[in-house]
Amino acid sequence: MGVDKLEHIGIAVKNMEESNKLFAKLLGRDHYKIEEVSSEGVRTSFFDMGNIKIELLEATSPDSPIAKFIEKKGEGIHHLAFEVANLGESIQDYGKKGFTLLNNQPKPGADHKQIAFMHPKGTNGVLVELCQEVKS
Amino acid sequence: MGVDKLEHIGIAVKNMEESNKLFAKLLGRDHYKIEEVSSEGVRTSFFDMGNIKIELLEATSPDSPIAKFIEKKGEGIHHLAFEVANLGESIQDYGKKGFTLLNNQPKPGADHKQIAFMHPKGTNGVLVELCQEVKS
């Protein structure tokens, strides 16, 4: 097993409005949607890079994981999200391989995804998200 | 102008041999090459994700930018590299747009690339590399 491909890169930002403008200037294209994931305490915006997406993440509450991340490390790359075919199976499989899953069950993410995170201590300091598209 | 696409993600690691094994387990595939860029003081290994590449970076000397990065921030995502059609023009163009280029001229990178970096202070804490394939 393994992952199918990199689906998106999550970047923690303090002010989404300003960062949407900055990334539009950097990437040469505008974001195509904004979506709030209230269960995670984040507002997200997405840039389509063709081969992958870039997701900006802004905290919607002081106890959001994104607020805590920025407090500790400052703005910057927050996670890499890899697509898997069967998230439930991947959670089991990576657990058996010795990775520390932060979620034992798939949970709802932005952009029609079910997601689960791995602890960065087991992945060279990289916060890894596994994600699976929810077919509607 | 802007960028064409995300070309690779650079991840700073302490021990490439161990990290090659870890990422092989995580990604479900082996690295396909190892290359040293002596001018940058780094040894790199590459994983082909189909849509993008993942580059592990190990310092080859204590004053390598990667050694300093790990000393300050620990192992983790070091940079995002975006492909551009004409690196010389992009350096000029991003400079005019207010981004701070760390290199005024293209310099040699790994994997048949000319590269230039932007200062992360101007890009929401993300170290951005612009890269252009060198046609051989």
Side-chain angles (χ1 to χ4, degrees), chain B residues 71-129:
Chain B
E71 202 180 302
K72 211 169 148 186
K73 305 198 171 189
E75 292 181 297
I77 302 168
H78 178 258
H79 69 267
L80 299 185
F82 294 99
E83 199 168 272
V84 295
N86 185 318
L87 181 54
E89 280 181 15
S90 289
I91 289 172
Q92 296 297 320
D93 185 58
Y94 279 109
K96 281 181 200 153
K97 281 181 180 159
F99 291 93
T100 306
L101 275 296
L102 294 173
N103 310 102
N104 295 324
Q105 301 267 347
K107 63 174 180 173
D111 201 32
H112 317 292
K113 296 279 189 307
Q114 289 282 305
I115 64 172
F117 284 99
M118 288 187 196
H119 199 295
K121 279 190 185 167
T123 47
N124 268 151
V126 179
L127 179 61
V128 170
E129 176 188 312

Side-chain angles (χ1 to χ4, degrees), chain B residues 17-46:
Chain B
E17 206 181 321
E18 281 177 25
S19 295
N20 274 340
K21 286 182 201 154
L22 176 68
F23 277 85
K25 206 161 66 162
L26 176 66
L27 304 173
R29 68 201 77 194
D30 285 324
H31 67 281
Y32 65 93
K33 77 165 162 180
I34 288 185
E35 185 182 344
E36 190 163 333
V37 186
S38 43
S39 56
E40 295 289 301
V42 295
R43 209 155 65 101
T44 66
S45 78
F46 284 87

